[in-house]
Structure formats: C-alpha cells, structure tokens
C-alpha cells in the first residue's frame, strides 16, 4: 500500500522527476516549494505523465510559522524527501550567506516540524561535493568528507550532520542521505526537465540552450586540469535513474530495512566523463554543433570525481541504467519542447 510522502522542492528539476517516480510506485505526493527556481506549470507536466496532479503548497521552508501552520493537523504524511535548497556552486561562492541562510534554516525548520508532528522518515538530497577533491577514485562511502570547496558543498555537509546527530540523539527519526553526482537529462516524455531561471549554472542546460540559440556560446571553465583533455571529469547520471533511487531509499525507511538509524549512499554511474566528452557526445546524439570557448577555471570546481556505486547497488538494489547518449538526447528533446510551449503561451 502506498504512503503519503511530502516532497520539498518538488517542482524543481530532480524533485519533479522523483514525484513522477513516487506516483508510478503508487505513493501519494504532497509538494512544498517556494517556486524560487521552478514554475507552477511543472505540476501540469507531472499530471500529463502520470494522470495525477499532486497536492501543492507554495511555502518557503525558511518561513517557520507557515511551515508549522502547514503541518498542523496533517497526520496523514508518512515520510519526507527533502530537495528544497539553492544548488549552484559558483553562485554560492559569490553569495555565501544567502546559501547558508536558505539551505541550513530550511532543514532545521523541517526536522523540528517532523519531530513535533511525529514524522519519522527523511531522505535528504545530498551531493558528492561533500568529498571535495577526493584522495582516490572512484569515490566510495568510506572516503573522508573534506574541507568544502564551496559554501554550497559546506551546506550539504552541515545538513547531513544535522540529520545524523538528530537521529543519534535518540529522536524518532530515520534518515538516508543520497550523495549524488551530476544529474542530467529529462523525462523521456519531454513533459518535464531542467528549466533554470536566468543563466544556467549547470553544464547540460547551458549546452541545450546554446544548441537552441538562447546562448551564444558555452564557456568551458579550464582546460589545464590533470585529465585526458584538460577539462574537469564528472559522473553524469540520468535524472530518472536518480529519481528511482529516492523511491528505493524512502521505501527502505518505510519498511524499516535500514540497518542503522542514519545511512548514506553514493548515487552515480560509476564512470567519469570530461566536459569536452559530454559536448562531443551531445553533438553525436543530436546532430547539433555546440559553439564553445575555453575560459579560466571557475572558483570551487573540483578536478575530477566519479562514484563507486557498490553500496547503492548491493544495499539498495539500485543501479543506473540509461546511457550517456540516451540521456543527452532526452535533454535536447526537453529543451525543444519547453521552448515550443513558451512560444505558444
């Protein structure tokens, strides 16, 4: 029997895809989102894919009073998947206090509300940024959490600690943090995808917007790294594969299969690609040439990181399935559909 699951940041990129997979797994979903970096039309995309338009509340988790008012009388919510956060490494280096205020207060308020209202399960959207520049590759869960290379990465570390220490203090909460690598792509229906407000901070939407003519050229930040072509290496994971990991994780908590009160897992493909390799794969998959320019390194960027996914594969029974080319094509199909819909509005 499905449960009612609260998804914070549920109209965002990864959140919306996870909502779809939760509905496909026969769960009911309630979304909280302040629409800072997403649009209400995402709900229509979710409905078009699943036949269900989830319950939605426009609430900022940093607004403690409004959050408390929402939870008052809500004894129907079983579990929480927590995405709501600012997420751009570069922006966090420019506006650190904005990131600390939003990303930490939101989790603090949420955990406090969960304890007071008897909600015991939380899956947290974490990041491989907690590993910083790793000592060895691929990165497994035994790798040390490093001095953060950005305020964004630091907020992920602190949020994880907040959840872990809350669990260890004896509060009736169980948690799983999913440390994922670089989510890309879109739902194969092209009904939902990554649609950042303003200039994209992530690689793939910048590629698709450049291909579509929205951006003149793609900037590649640095070609003097110790990698095969000098550009940084990342583990790019399909967003639908990633979303399915959240469903598996929340069901592990609901079924009380987690071996400890708090766990964390790496979610990636286990393979790294350079920025130039991604550009070339996109060109092969779509037939679109990408105008790009090498520029100086960007503050806060790690040279190379990719996942050892053994724990997620074995403990969660989850693994990434989609190919890089398939994922890149899905992103291009989404970009075209999104622009067409905007032109028709």
């Amino acid at each position: 029997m499905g449960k009612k699951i609260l998804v914070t940041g549920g109209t965002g990129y990864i959140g919306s895809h996870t909502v779809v997979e939760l509905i496909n797994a026969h769960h009911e979903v309630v979304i909280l989102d302040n629409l800072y970096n997403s649009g209400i039309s995402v709900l229509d995309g979710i409905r078009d894919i699943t036949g269900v338009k989830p319950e939605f509340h426009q609430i900022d988790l940093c607004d403690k009073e409004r959050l408390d008012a929402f939870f008052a009388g809500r004894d129907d919510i079983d579990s929480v998947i927590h995405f709501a956060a600012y997420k751009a490494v570069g922006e966090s280096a420019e506006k650190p206090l904005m990131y600390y205020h939003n990303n930490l207060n939101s989790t603090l308020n949420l955990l406090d509300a969960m304890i007071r209202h008897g909600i015991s399960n939380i899956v947290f959207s974490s990041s491989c940024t907690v590993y910083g520049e790793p000592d060895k590759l691929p990165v497994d869960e035994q790798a040390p959490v490093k001095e953060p290379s950005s305020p964004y990465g630091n907020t992920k570390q602190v949020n994880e600690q907040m959840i872990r220490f809350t669990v260890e203090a004896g509060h009736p909460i169980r948690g799983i943090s999913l440390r994922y690598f670089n989510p890309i792509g879109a739902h194969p229906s092209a009904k939902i995808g990554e649609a950042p407000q303003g200039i994209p901070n992530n690689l793939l939407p910048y590629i698709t917007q450049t291909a579509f003519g929205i951006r003149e050229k793609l900037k590649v930040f640095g070609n003097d790294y110790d990698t095969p072509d000098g550009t940084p290496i990342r583990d790019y994971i399909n967003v639908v594969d990633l979303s399915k990991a959240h469903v598996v994780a929340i069901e592990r908590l609901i079924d009380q299969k987690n071996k400890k009160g708090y766990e964390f897992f790496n979610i990636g493909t286990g393979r790294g690609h350079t920025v130039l390799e991604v550009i070339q794969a996109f060109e092969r998959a779509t037939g679109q040439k990408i105008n790009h320019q090498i520029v100086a390194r960007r503050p806060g960027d790690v040279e190379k990181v990719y996942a050892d996914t053994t724990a997620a594969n074995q403990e969660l029974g989850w693994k990434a399935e989609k190919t890089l080319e398939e994922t890149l094509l899905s992103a291009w199909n989404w970009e075209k559909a999104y622009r067409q819909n905007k032109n028709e509005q």
Side-chain angles (χ1 to χ4, degrees):
M1 182 65 185
K3 300 291 186 179
K4 186 166 284 189
I5 296 170
L6 178 68
V7 180
T8 72
T11 57
Y13 173 44
I14 305 170
S16 60
H17 287 81
T18 299
V19 168
V20 165
E21 297 307 319
L22 287 167
I23 294 170
N24 288 343
H26 309 294
H27 296 290
E28 276 189 78
V29 177
V30 180
I31 295 174
L32 294 190
D33 203 301
N34 65 1
L35 301 181
Y36 172 80
N37 196 31
S38 60
I40 195 70
S41 62
V42 171
L43 298 176
D44 295 328
I46 293 169
R47 179 203 59 209
D48 291 346
I49 296 167
T50 65
V52 175
K53 190 169 184 176
E55 180 184 342
F56 172 80
H57 299 266
Q58 186 173 348
I59 293 174
D60 190 322
L61 298 186
C62 292
D63 187 337
K64 189 173 175 59
E65 289 186 3
R66 285 204 65 202
L67 187 62
D68 284 341
F70 165 78
F71 276 110
R74 293 299 301 243
D75 57 1
D76 56 338
I77 292 171
D78 181 86
S79 305
V80 176
I81 302 180
H82 179 33
F83 293 102
Y86 298 156
K87 66 186 182 85
V89 169
E91 183 183 54
S92 78
E94 297 168 4
K95 303 174 181 177
L97 294 183
M98 183 177 89
Y99 270 66
Y100 286 118
H101 173 79
N102 183 74
N103 292 6
L104 300 186
N105 283 324
S106 57
T107 304
L108 184 64
N109 291 344
L110 181 62
L111 286 171
D112 183 56
M114 286 177 63
I115 291 167
R116 286 187 289 107
H117 295 280
I119 301 167
S120 57
N121 303 316
I122 182 168
V123 169
F124 174 61
S125 161
S126 192
S127 167
C128 67
T129 58
V130 301
Y131 297 118
E133 192 77 63
D135 296 328
K136 68 181 182 72
L137 294 169
V139 181
D140 62 23
E141 286 82 355
Q142 281 67 55
V145 170
K146 291 286 198 70
E147 179 72 20
S149 58
S150 69
Y152 163 75
N154 192 203
T155 66
K156 291 300 185 185
Q157 292 180 4
V158 175
N159 275 324
E160 280 201 26
Q161 292 166 343
M162 211 184 294
I163 296 168
R164 176 169 70 88
F165 287 131
T166 300
V167 171
E168 291 178 355
H171 291 292
I173 281 184
R174 293 182 297 274
I176 294 177
S177 292
L178 298 183
R179 295 173 173 173
Y180 33 86
F181 284 65
N182 287 67
I184 60 171
H187 194 272
S189 68
K191 299 288 187 182
I192 57 173
E194 190 168 10
Q197 309 290 314
I199 299 172
N201 285 298
N202 295 331
L203 175 63
L204 198 55
Y206 215 115
I207 288 177
T208 58
Q209 289 188 18
T210 303
F212 200 83
I214 306 293
R215 308 290 162 196
E216 180 189 354
K217 69 178 70 166
L218 169 72
K219 292 178 180 177
V220 177
F221 295 102
N223 68 341
D224 57 349
Y225 289 99
D226 181 19
T227 64
D229 59 28
T231 62
I233 289 176
R234 297 289 183 269
D235 186 338
Y236 295 96
I237 178 168
N238 184 285
V239 68
V240 176
D241 283 342
L242 174 59
S243 298
K244 291 176 178 176
H246 291 82
V247 178
V248 171
I250 204 69
E251 289 178 347
R252 178 180 178 88
L253 291 173
I254 290 168
D255 297 337
Q256 299 187 24
K257 291 180 179 175
N258 57 319
K259 295 175 181 175
K260 295 175 285 188
Y262 174 73
E263 298 176 304
F264 50 90
F265 296 96
N266 290 342
I267 305 295
T269 67
R271 185 173 172 206
H273 294 277
T274 69
V275 172
L276 289 181
E277 284 174 345
V278 172
I279 293 170
Q280 292 156 7
F282 181 87
E283 292 176 341
R284 286 195 305 272
T286 66
Q288 302 292 315
K289 294 297 288 183
I290 300 300
N291 183 23
H292 62 277
Q293 175 188 9
I294 306 294
V295 297
R297 292 186 183 193
R298 182 172 56 181
D301 276 348
V302 169
E303 181 170 88
K304 47 192 169 186
V305 63
Y306 52 95
D308 182 332
T309 61
T310 303
N313 300 159
Q314 294 180 353
E315 286 290 322
L316 296 179
W318 169 93
K319 68 173 184 174
E321 296 175 346
K322 297 185 184 294
T323 66
L324 179 62
E325 284 76 10
E326 180 182 4
T327 302
L328 295 170
L329 182 59
S330 73
W332 176 232
N333 289 337
W334 154 253
E335 185 73 48
K336 291 186 292 183
Y338 176 70
R339 296 299 163 186
Q340 182 178 347
N341 288 341
K342 287 198 80 170
N343 290 335
E344 290 173 353
Q345 289 172 1

